[in-house]
Amino acid sequence: GVLGGEPSLSVVEFDRAWNAVQDIDLSIPGLNYVHDFLMTPDYFIFHVTPFVDTSEKAVQLIFNEGKAPGEILAYDPSLPSQMVVVERHPVAGAERRRWHLETEPCHIYHFQNAVQHGSDKITFGATCLPPGFNMQWQHKVFLSNTAEAPGLYYDYAIDLTAGTCKRSLSPKVARISNEFPTSNPYRQCVRTGDSKATRSIPPRFVYLMGTEPGVTMPFTRIVKYD
């Protein structure tokens, strides 16, 4: 979406023998940055971040004033914050369905595994950086101002029928600055109720690189969240 152009994203899927089975070109308004995304048996999920400006003014700062892209990454309240759900396998001849769901303003580098419940509900987690986040080299120890604007882990619940995306902060991890959420890789891309026993069991635990409040050095411990 640089200089007002339409953003373009290609998604290529491979089978277990590394044969390309699907090559999708998507143009999603506002999707100017993708660092991570989610996939379920039926859907892709992308976050439209309100932190990446690709206007002419922003491009000039990079090319004319020597700014690095990270230096101009900052919250812009005029930009949308959305979860965009895209259908993976549309019915033959039908248009690929998409849902644009408003969510609280944040920047997401890393998601945690998504679980699809039936055909219209999805749950997942993510470390969300707040509106005060920027790429300041704080204390010369990390890439961002994590001591002032820490990333916090949120649980998300999407209901496609209702057209809603709800976010909640668990009290168990509410005070822990964190990043890089992950879970058991053998329990990913699942749908509850599937007949494949092992792959239909959602992951129970989330693992985070975390820091206690007041500690300026980021990620000094591993957190196991149930």
Side-chain angles (χ1 to χ4, degrees):
V2 177
L3 300 178
E6 288 294 324
S8 179
L9 175 69
S10 293
V11 181
V12 183
E13 292 193 53
F14 296 85
D15 63 18
R16 292 182 179 275
W18 290 104
N19 299 303
V21 296
Q22 185 167 217
D23 190 345
I24 308 166
D25 290 321
L26 300 171
S27 181
I28 299 174
L31 190 68
N32 299 318
Y33 179 95
V34 177
H35 187 85
D36 197 6
F37 72 100
L38 292 163
M39 184 174 71
T40 75
D42 294 334
Y43 305 106
F44 299 113
I45 302 102
F46 305 97
H47 178 232
V48 172
T49 175
F51 281 72
V52 178
D53 179 14
T54 56
S55 65
E56 181 178 354
K57 180 180 178 181
V59 173
Q60 286 178 346
L61 288 173
I62 296 172
F63 288 99
N64 296 339
E65 299 186 24
K67 295 285 187 180
E71 291 183 273
I72 63 172
L73 189 149
Y75 175 55
D76 184 340
S78 69
L79 297 176
S81 181
Q82 299 175 335
M83 292 297 172
V84 181
V85 182
V86 179
E87 188 177 31
R88 284 181 65 191
H89 308 293
V91 176
E95 186 176 349
R96 190 180 303 275
R97 294 180 297 169
R98 297 196 312 208
W99 293 260
H100 295 253
L101 308 173
E102 300 296 325
T103 189
E104 292 83 354
C106 67
H107 185 68
I108 296 174
Y109 280 120
H110 302 111
F111 289 102
Q112 190 272 329
N113 181 48
V115 177
Q116 182 178 326
H117 308 272
S119 61
D120 66 340
K121 294 179 175 60
I122 305 166
T123 56
F124 60 90
T127 294
C128 300
L129 293 153
F133 157 77
N134 61 50
M135 294 293 285
Q136 173 190 346
W137 192 25
Q138 194 175 50
H139 307 302
K140 303 297 186 287
V141 295
F142 193 59
L143 297 175
S144 72
N145 60 336
T146 183
E148 296 172 356
L152 297 178
Y153 182 83
Y154 284 84
D155 291 307
Y156 282 84
I158 286 176
D159 187 325
L160 297 178
T161 300
T164 58
C165 176
K166 297 182 179 180
R167 189 179 79 161
S168 60
L169 180 63
S170 170
K172 295 180 180 180
V173 291
R175 299 177 67 249
I176 299 174
S177 171
N178 68 85
E179 251 298 355
F180 309 106
T182 189
S183 59
N184 187 332
Y186 292 101
R187 300 283 171 82
Q188 295 185 358
C189 196
V190 301
R191 171 172 31 209
T192 57
D194 236 354
S195 59
K196 296 179 180 179
T198 301
R199 293 184 176 273
S200 67
I201 302 173
R204 175 179 173 181
F205 299 107
V206 176
Y207 301 90
L208 308 164
M209 295 299 295
T211 305
E212 286 296 319
V215 179
T216 56
M217 178 68 73
F219 316 138
T220 56
R221 62 184 59 193
I222 296 175
V223 179
K224 186 177 182 180
Y225 169 40
D226 188 349

